[in-house]
Amino acid sequence: MRTAIENRLRSAFGVYSYIDTRNGGLVPIALSELFDAIRPHLSNIEFAVDFHDVARIYRWSNPYLHAGSRDFIWVAGYALEYLHPLFAGGASSVDGGIRMPRQTWREIRQGFEEPTRPNLFADLWRTIGLFVRRRRAGPAQMLNLADEQGAACTFLD
């Protein structure tokens, strides 16, 4: 269940991991970071299951999975059935469990990318680097590539 929630949210927003540009390795992005990025945009996103319940079930499933903390035997089945609309979507699409405008999708992904707006500190550091002749290696990490076409969500526009 925990993995299903994680895969559902990551595939909807296209946020999986950073790519380490120095060695090509993957640096995972914690799902809690994705939850934090989604929260400010909740008014623009339609979840088939209340987002706060999804987060609560995800948090519950962590100790269930990692520590062997067990509840009543029927709780996991009930939680999975409750989450079913998130995974099954609507009549029009299996991705209909999460719906949002394209701009909201872009803004959430943008929160994980390197800032593109002018940064006084970065400009100052670059200038100092010119005088010291230090070769700049570029950003160490970059967000995985994703496009709107492959997003496992339904866009409202």
Side-chain angles (χ1 to χ4, degrees), residues 5-59:
I5 292 170
E6 191 165 334
N7 286 336
R8 181 68 185 100
L9 291 176
R10 288 186 188 283
S11 62
F13 294 95
V15 174
Y16 297 96
S17 63
Y18 291 109
I19 300 167
D20 189 329
T21 58
R22 295 170 295 200
N23 63 15
L26 297 178
V27 179
I29 296 173
L31 197 66
S32 60
E33 292 179 46
L34 183 55
F35 281 138
D36 291 343
I38 293 170
R39 276 189 191 93
H41 300 279
L42 281 177
S43 62
N44 297 326
I45 304 171
E46 298 173 14
F47 284 91
V49 175
D50 185 85
F51 174 78
H52 299 94
D53 291 341
V54 173
R56 186 176 300 119
I57 292 170
Y58 181 80
R59 284 191 311 270

Side-chain angles (χ1 to χ4, degrees), residues 51 72 97 123 150:
F51 174 78
F72 294 110
D123 291 342

Side-chain angles (χ1 to χ4, degrees), residues 47-152:
F47 284 91
V49 175
D50 185 85
F51 174 78
H52 299 94
D53 291 341
V54 173
R56 186 176 300 119
I57 292 170
Y58 181 80
R59 284 191 311 270
W60 165 80
S61 66
N62 276 322
Y64 183 88
L65 178 67
H66 293 294
S69 172
R70 302 288 189 246
D71 227 327
F72 294 110
I73 194 152
W74 50 266
V75 173
Y78 176 79
L80 188 58
E81 186 62 30
Y82 180 75
L83 292 173
H84 186 264
L86 182 70
F87 303 122
S92 61
S93 168
V94 72
D95 297 330
I98 301 174
R99 301 164 36 102
M100 71 190 98
R102 291 177 193 277
Q103 186 58 34
T104 301
W105 186 87
R106 292 177 190 140
E107 288 171 5
I108 290 172
R109 275 195 52 85
Q110 214 168 31
F112 291 95
E113 294 174 355
E114 288 288 321
T116 55
R117 59 187 164 241
N119 181 334
L120 182 60
F121 180 75
D123 291 342
L124 179 61
W125 188 250
R126 201 173 302 110
T127 304
I128 292 170
L130 290 174
F131 287 110
V132 179
R133 298 270 192 226
R134 181 174 170 255
R135 185 176 162 194
R136 187 166 166 87
Q141 295 178 350
M142 133 181 133
L143 182 63
N144 63 277
L145 298 176
D147 65 353
E148 296 170 14
Q149 301 281 7

